[in-house]
Amino acid sequence: MCSSIASFVVATIFATLMLRESNAQLSATFYANTCPNVSSIVNNVVQNALQSDSRIGASLIRLHFHDCFVNGCDASILLDNSANIQSEKDAAPNTNSIRGFDVVDNIKTALENSCQGVVSCADLLALAAESSVSLSGGPSWSVLLGRRDSLTANQGGANTSIPSPFEGLTNITSKFSAVGLDTNDLVALSGAHTFGRAQCRTFSNRLYNFSGTGNPDPTLSSSYLTTLQQTCPQNGSGTALANLDLTTPDNFDNSYFTNLQNNQGLLQSDQELFSTSGAATVSIVNNFSSNQSAFFQSFAQSMINMGNISPLTGSNGEIRSDCKKVNGS
Ligand code: HEM
Ligand SMILES: *[C@@H]1O[C@H](CO)[C@@H](O)[C@H](O)[C@H]1NC(C)=O
Ligand SMILES: *[C@@H]1O[C@H](CO)[C@@H](O)[C@H](O)[C@H]1NC(C)=O
Ligand SMILES: *[C@@H]1O[C@H](CO)[C@@H](O)[C@H](O)[C@H]1NC(C)=O
Ligand SMILES: *[C@@H]1O[C@H](CO)[C@@H](O)[C@H](O)[C@H]1NC(C)=O
Ligand SMILES: *[C@@H]1O[C@H](CO)[C@@H](O)[C@H](O)[C@H]1NC(C)=O
Ligand SMILES: *[C@@H]1O[C@H](CO)[C@@H](O)[C@H](O)[C@H]1NC(C)=O
Ligand SMILES: *[C@@H]1O[C@H](CO)[C@@H](O)[C@H](O)[C@H]1NC(C)=O
């Protein structure tokens, strides 16, 4: 008994050290000799994509988030179904929802044309996320690099590890904590809902009969409720889209937090950050709402924290030549 506890403790310490060591291997200058222009190559493709699709930046950062929460930031989300792969693209949080794979392929082609076999798909997602934010008016940061790509996917993990908009703040906090992210990270990263869209099916439970009460969610402002009921009729298909940020839908700014203070958060999980009385998240929302630079500074740091989740480094994994499949398959 004692010795099994002792060996658990030793194994935990060892695992923690390993995690730190692999984080420590990520570096802003990882491609300085092998692909010095990696950031501008990615940035150029994202910039072009934004000209024809104002939503694409939001879609790209979400890909990085849904990658990192499942087996770490290892591009597992990009693998298609095959004999050995049950794709994460078919997991509940991703199916008929996650997008941007064509732009990822365009970025990969541009990288292969300049630096063949060098830049991982996992790093591509981290760089595309940064470009998406900075090109939309948000902060810039120095992206840490050196991740490698997985040989496997984890569809079951994607079903259970990615937060759902219907679970409460306590459960979502646990899911962040499970990947080493704290309450400040949760609030800052939720600020990514300052751009992009959500389908009616992800929030319509709030509009008519919330939790079986027969009434809408009381934390939804009445004017916003009227607007959303028009976008999402009671028996509609659920696939109509609403802006996550009603005030500045495509800009990366701190208006998301002001929306929460005005009971204009779109998802239940958004509004709970502000409306859960006594929660530690409330004062962080107030800070970010009143001080955009505090939000930007926290957001950049929390993106780095999220990007550090269990990367494959060294000789683990591989550099995929096609982000959709394992090399040689
Ligand atoms: C805190 C828990 C979170 C929950 C419950 C959540 C949930 C959702 C849901 C339900 C959607 C709409 C999907 C659809 O209708 O197809 C969405 C969209 C989005 N999420 Fe989150 N999210 C969370 C955190 C994050 C984080 C950490 C990021 C990035 C750092 C992020 C970035 C986005 C973006 C940018 C969109 C819009 C995507 C697009 O327009 O294609 N979310 N999220
Ligand atoms: C890097 O990109 C810059 C600007 O896009 C370009 O002028 C330069 O030639 C590129 N350098 C290399 C080594 O490709
Ligand atoms: C994940 O969820 C999807 C959609 O609900 C389901 O079809 C799939 O079987 C689940 N996969 C695993 C491995 O649990
Ligand atoms: C929250 O997590 C608990 C324990 O995992 C689970 O039983 C419960 O269903 C979750 N609640 C929601 C709303 O998802
Ligand atoms: C709301 O949902 C509850 C539980 O599902 C149901 O019993 C009730 O009849 C519904 N109320 C209305 C007004 O639809
Ligand atoms: C929606 O569908 C339900 C059940 O089919 C029906 O009772 C209700 O009247 C419909 N509501 C609207 C607004 O069409
Ligand atoms: C806003 O936040 C920044 C960054 O954390 C801080 O330096 C500045 O003092 C804050 N401004 C105010 C008015 O509190
Ligand atoms: C607001 O957030 C910034 C950045 O995280 C932090 O430095 C500052 O202490 C916070 N201010 C308050 C009043 O919580």
Side-chain angles (χ1 to χ4, degrees):
M1 185 63 183
C2 255
S3 83
S4 76
I5 290 175
S7 60
F8 174 75
V9 169
V10 169
T12 305
I13 291 171
F14 186 70
T16 308
L17 289 174
M18 293 294 288
L19 192 69
R20 288 199 177 188
E21 193 175 356
S22 58
N23 289 350
Q25 288 170 19
L26 296 184
S27 142
T29 55
F30 188 80
Y31 298 111
N33 297 320
T34 52
C35 195
N37 264 358
V38 60
S39 301
S40 61
I41 295 167
V42 174
N43 196 63
N44 287 340
V45 181
V46 174
Q47 194 164 20
N48 279 336
L50 275 168
Q51 318 239 298
S52 55
D53 179 2
S54 62
R55 184 185 173 192
I56 195 65
S59 304
L60 289 170
I61 189 179
R62 187 166 183 245
L63 271 176
H64 181 50
F65 161 48
H66 285 202
D67 179 33
C68 291
F69 268 58
V70 183
N71 291 12
C73 312
D74 63 353
S76 55
I77 193 173
L78 300 179
L79 291 172
D80 280 342
N81 277 317
S82 72
N84 305 313
I85 303 288
Q86 255 193 310
S87 179
E88 291 173 21
K89 296 175 186 181
D90 297 329
N94 294 334
T95 188
N96 296 319
S97 173
I98 202 109
R99 62 197 291 279
F101 297 107
D102 48 346
V103 176
V104 168
D105 288 343
N106 292 342
I107 298 170
K108 183 61 176 173
T109 301
L111 289 170
E112 291 295 298
N113 285 343
S114 294
C115 321
Q116 194 177 5
V118 168
V119 182
S120 69
C121 299
D123 281 346
L124 179 167
L125 291 178
L127 287 162
E130 193 279 338
S131 286
S132 297
V133 171
S134 58
L135 289 168
S136 304
S140 300
W141 62 94
S142 181
V143 180
L144 299 186
L145 301 166
R147 301 170 190 81
R148 292 167 64 86
D149 299 325
S150 72
L151 307 176
T152 57
N154 183 358
Q155 188 187 86
N159 279 345
T160 54
S161 304
I162 297 170
S164 139
F166 310 119
E167 56 190 347
L169 181 57
T170 310
N171 284 32
I172 291 180
T173 302
S174 309
K175 287 185 173 180
F176 273 68
S177 171
V179 293
L181 298 176
D182 67 16
T183 302
N184 201 68
D185 295 315
L186 166 62
V187 178
L189 292 172
S190 293
H193 290 171
T194 179
F195 63 175
R197 320 279 178 260
Q199 299 172 63
C200 292
R201 63 182 172 86
T202 66
F203 59 85
S204 57
N205 66 315
R206 307 180 66 203
L207 305 182
Y208 300 100
N209 187 356
F210 181 62
S211 304
T213 58
N215 292 307
D217 186 338
T219 66
L220 199 49
S221 90
S222 58
S223 59
Y224 192 38
L225 173 66
T226 303
T227 307
L228 292 176
Q229 285 177 334
Q230 280 159 7
T231 308
C232 307
Q234 193 152 18
N235 295 326
S237 70
T239 59
L241 297 173
N243 295 320
L244 277 157
D245 172 358
L246 81 163
T247 46
T248 52
D250 294 327
N251 296 349
F252 197 100
D253 56 23
N254 67 338
S255 55
Y256 168 82
F257 298 102
T258 313
N259 296 339
L260 300 186
Q261 292 175 320
N262 293 330
N263 286 339
Q264 292 176 324
L266 184 61
L267 307 177
Q268 187 185 332
S269 51
D270 293 323
Q271 193 59 49
E272 283 190 13
L273 297 173
F274 180 73
S275 298
T276 305
S277 66
T281 51
V282 178
S283 65
I284 307 173
V285 169
N286 290 333
N287 185 5
F288 294 163
S289 170
S290 68
N291 186 341
Q292 179 161 274
S293 55
F295 167 48
F296 280 8
Q297 190 183 315
S298 274
F299 186 79
Q301 182 58 54
S302 293
M303 284 297 289
I304 291 169
N305 296 346
M306 186 173 84
N308 278 339
I309 301 172
S310 311
L312 296 169
T313 56
S315 58
N316 294 318
E318 64 179 12
I319 305 298
R320 277 181 220 147
S321 56
D322 177 341
C323 293
K324 299 186 292 302
K325 45 190 193 184
V326 172
N327 291 343
S329 70

